[in-house]
Amino acid sequence: MDTPTRLEPETRRFALISWPGLAAVLLALSAFVLFGVGTSFPELRGFGYVPMVASLIVAWIADRNFARDFSVIAGCLGLISSISVEADISWTNIARMGVVLSAVVIGPWLITRYWFKDNTIVFPLRRGQKWTRLEWAWLAFVIVVAWLVLPQYFMRTGVYLNWPPVTEWDEIVRLFFGVNAVGIWDELFFICTVFALLRKHFAFWTANVFTTVIFVSFLWELGYRSIGPVLTIPFALVQAYIFTKTKSLPYTVTVHLLFDALVFLTIVYAHHPEALPIFIGV
């Protein structure tokens, strides 16, 4: 859905030290508990809803326009938390995740566009503009860094065991589809939706950090554990920056999918090193 609508609409922006800032902190804490702590300690997962409810109360007390957008984000996180997003490539889980993850992308766009009459959530295509040399160089950089770093991370920490040991061709296809589908969804939800709505009300880096906490917490449950945040935090921060500067969803998604292509190859290699000897030093 291409649109000339500005990515950063004119609106009141709140400081980090403010009531809306407190609401955002509480929601980030909720995501951290629901998807992060709750994954490692399931008995604590339910406590993640306490700061979520508190964040909504604070938001509605603070500012009505902020609270509308904020409630959309909180509602989406609540819906996502109703399912497990741990790596599972069974057809049942693929269908379940497909329905829920699609809903939290389509739903906020419909609500904000047709109920709120707001064009904050956009999916810019930047048609007719070629990628610059710097943008092409960044793609090459991402491939090289991912090729060097991801096998070390997955193999030496053992986190590849968080993904199923694919053996049959259909399992490999499903893993490939799942990794890439989630990668595309990450950008549609965390950048085009969560970051965009927070950016409407906060400064760039404030919104970026809040989005990153939520995103990295989600990735922890997905399987990027151990020292995973050391990799995923910079990646998340940079992706929002790239999206803001390029105003191109296809380019931002391409960066993510190149990274995820190496994730897929690394997982297959970790389980079957003799079948895919393309990495060194592991």
Side-chain angles (χ1 to χ4, degrees), residues 121-147:
I121 299 176
V122 294
F123 308 97
L125 302 181
R126 205 179 74 174
R127 288 195 179 105
Q129 298 183 42
K130 295 181 179 179
W131 293 351
T132 66
R133 290 183 178 180
L134 178 60
E135 289 168 346
W136 282 106
W138 181 255
L139 296 181
F141 175 79
V142 168
I143 293 173
V144 172
V145 170
W147 180 72

Side-chain angles (χ1 to χ4, degrees), residues 169-202:
W169 69 268
D170 63 312
E171 293 176 328
I172 295 175
V173 170
R174 274 182 279 151
L175 177 64
F176 178 80
F177 170 79
V179 168
N180 285 278
V182 172
I184 296 172
W185 175 84
D186 285 340
E187 301 303 327
L188 295 175
F189 179 67
F190 290 109
I191 299 299
C192 293
T193 303
V194 176
F195 170 73
L197 290 175
L198 290 176
R199 179 69 178 98
K200 178 181 175 182
H201 300 282
F202 295 103

Side-chain angles (χ1 to χ4, degrees), residues 14-177:
F14 299 100
L16 174 60
I17 308 301
S18 64
W19 288 112
L22 174 60
V25 168
L26 288 171
L27 188 61
L29 175 62
S30 172
F32 176 73
V33 175
L34 285 172
F35 306 116
V37 175
T39 299
S40 301
F41 304 97
E43 66 276 10
L44 300 178
R45 185 181 180 93
F47 289 102
Y49 296 107
V50 176
M52 179 181 288
V53 173
S55 73
L56 287 169
I57 295 173
V58 172
W60 280 102
I61 292 174
D63 184 270
R64 181 176 180 275
N65 289 329
F66 167 73
R68 291 193 318 172
D69 295 331
F70 189 81
S71 297
V72 170
I73 299 173
C76 290
L77 295 181
L79 183 56
I80 295 170
S81 71
S82 68
I83 64 171
S84 171
V85 297
E86 293 188 67
D88 178 355
I89 58 173
S90 66
W91 285 115
T92 301
N93 191 62
I94 288 175
R96 182 187 302 113
M97 287 186 64
V99 171
V100 171
L101 299 188
S102 296
V104 298
V105 169
I106 299 172
W109 183 79
L110 290 174
I111 291 170
T112 57
R113 181 64 58 93
Y114 296 105
W115 185 6
F116 298 169
K117 306 300 181 183
D118 180 82
N119 296 329
T120 299
I121 299 176
V122 294
F123 308 97
L125 302 181
R126 205 179 74 174
R127 288 195 179 105
Q129 298 183 42
K130 295 181 179 179
W131 293 351
T132 66
R133 290 183 178 180
L134 178 60
E135 289 168 346
W136 282 106
W138 181 255
L139 296 181
F141 175 79
V142 168
I143 293 173
V144 172
V145 170
W147 180 72
L148 290 173
V149 173
L150 287 177
Q152 306 297 327
Y153 163 58
F154 275 84
M155 298 289 286
R156 296 186 185 279
T157 64
V159 296
Y160 71 90
L161 296 173
N162 294 329
W163 280 261
V166 290
T167 54
E168 302 297 329
W169 69 268
D170 63 312
E171 293 176 328
I172 295 175
V173 170
R174 274 182 279 151
L175 177 64
F176 178 80
F177 170 79

